[in-house]
Amino acid sequence: MARILFNHVYKRYGKYKEVAVKDFNLEVEDQEFLVFVGPSGCGKSTTLRMLAGLEDISEGEIYIGDTIVNNYPPKDRDISMVFQNYALYPNMSVYENIAFGLRLRKQPKHEIDLAVKRAARVLEIENYLDRKPRELSGGQRQRVALGRAIVRTPQAFLMDEPLSNLDARLRVQMRSEIISLHRKIGVTMIYVTHDQVEAMTMGDRVVVMNRGVIQQVDTPEQVYNKPVNMFVANFIGNPPMNFIDGRIREEAGKLDFHTNRFKLRLTEKQAYHLRKENLVDMTVVLGIRAENISFDEIVMEAFPDSVLTGILQFNEFLGSDRYYHMDIGTEQTLVVRAHPRHHYDDGTKVTVALDMNKALFFHKTTGVLLTD
Ligand SMILES: Nc1ncnc2c1ncn2[C@@H]1O[C@H](COP(=O)(O)OP(=O)(O)OP(=O)(O)O)[C@@H](O)[C@H]1O
Ligand SMILES: [Mg+2]
């Protein structure tokens, strides 16, 4: 049983009691794979370190199972952690470093040997078992730290950016190793990253943080498709969601989103929400992802009331997709995803259609999502 619960947890650092984590409330289910994601300095490591017992909790309680662990030392929390700044024992070989925790627990030698070798194979460090940490590259050291954590089966694994020093290929490979490790041993896992792709591909649920405050806790699909505010919409997904400022106007009983260059017809559902919030004649922000905008005639015929024209500035070819950056005469540019077979020259004037069913509307000042 390793349900983990954060109850109104705060962290204040230093003389000025600066708030690093604010009113953090979260229930992590037993065996869940949860990812904390957010920009640098948003409080991810601090939260994890409070759970591991490496940092005092300024206010609130943390439960592991049914026990409040606030005053438990790290060793009594039965948690295995891989740090952002991993520390290996410099005088021990790679083998000894990985085996260390198991030896402390007095496991039989042959079991330790099996566990270490299995971990080394998975992490592709079998050939370095006799070396000292100083004889390894940063990425190899990081894998030793990972190995030391995964030979144990604790109540929970905490991983703080454990792949940050690896090259792109190893990163993807280790990502799937960690996912399959989790499937196999079914232990509760909290994984910290500032990489939203890592968060989306690994987590059962994702916790998006900003400035010490949880913004949204949801499945990857939900944070991508239904971000609760503009911060999440901007942080999750690459390219980030397009935002356009405009005013809501009523015409013959229908609502339109107006800029000084074009207008887009709202769906009935969107109109319902914006009316309810008294936002007719007010400025709001329309959000739409690059893949929900199209150059195709068929889409334009399907959405004749939501087309707009602009000038292509430049495009990015990514192999499977091509992203066009388009000047639409407002302050914000629009990024449009297209199949790579499309090729327009920079400077071309083009018309695109927006799939308004996929458009979201946000409050101009608070950034909160207004529609669903
Ligand atoms: N020991 C400390 N004393 C004072 N302030 C600290 C301390 N450790 C962290 N902070 C501050 O707390 C905030 C959160 O830091 P934290 O390390 O949790 O961020 P993070 O989300 O892990 O960022 P990163 O992605 O860069 O690792 C930051 O503003 C940081 O400057
Ligand atoms: Mg950190």
Side-chain angles (χ1 to χ4, degrees), residues 40-41 43-46 84 160-161 192 194:
S40 183
K44 307 179 294 293
S45 297
T46 300
Q84 192 167 12
D160 193 347
E161 313 225 10
V192 163
H194 59 253

Side-chain angles (χ1 to χ4, degrees), residues 73-178:
K75 68 173 173 48
D76 295 341
R77 298 192 186 194
D78 196 15
I79 272 174
S80 188
M81 179 153 176
V82 187
F83 297 97
Q84 192 167 12
N85 301 311
Y86 44 91
L88 301 175
Y89 300 105
N91 297 322
M92 289 185 196
S93 67
V94 167
Y95 186 102
E96 290 303 324
N97 263 286
I98 298 176
F100 187 73
L102 302 180
R103 286 220 206 289
L104 278 187
R105 278 173 192 74
K106 305 220 179 343
Q107 281 203 12
K109 225 172 167 171
H110 67 277
E111 276 182 24
I112 296 179
D113 194 57
L114 275 177
V116 172
K117 289 196 171 137
R118 197 197 156 270
R121 200 165 47 244
V122 167
L123 299 164
E124 293 186 17
I125 46 175
E126 305 130 286
N127 297 331
Y128 310 118
L129 286 172
D130 296 328
R131 291 203 198 172
K132 296 279 164 55
R134 66 170 177 279
E135 298 164 324
L136 300 174
S137 73
Q140 288 162 347
R141 277 180 227 168
Q142 198 158 37
R143 279 176 279 157
V144 177
L146 211 49
R148 198 168 51 182
I150 68 174
V151 289
R152 292 181 47 204
T153 314
Q155 295 244 35
F157 271 127
L158 311 184
M159 298 194 173
D160 193 347
E161 313 225 10
L163 309 181
S164 56
N165 284 327
L166 305 185
D167 64 54
R169 183 195 65 90
L170 257 180
R171 230 183 140 116
V172 172
Q173 191 178 325
M174 288 303 138
R175 213 147 80 188
S176 47
E177 286 298 341
I178 293 173

Side-chain angles (χ1 to χ4, degrees), residues 7 50 72 189-191 194 207 218 236 245 280 301 309 324 370:
N7 186 33
M50 286 192 285
Y72 281 45
M189 186 99 107
I190 305 183
Y191 186 99
H194 59 253
V207 179
D218 243 320
I236 299 287
D245 288 358
V280 178
E301 282 163 21
T309 300
Y324 286 97
L370 300 163

Side-chain angles (χ1 to χ4, degrees), residues 219-234:
T219 59
E221 289 78 10
Q222 282 293 106
V223 290
Y224 186 82
N225 293 318
K226 293 279 142 54
V228 295
N229 58 33
M230 288 173 69
F231 174 83
V232 178
N234 190 44

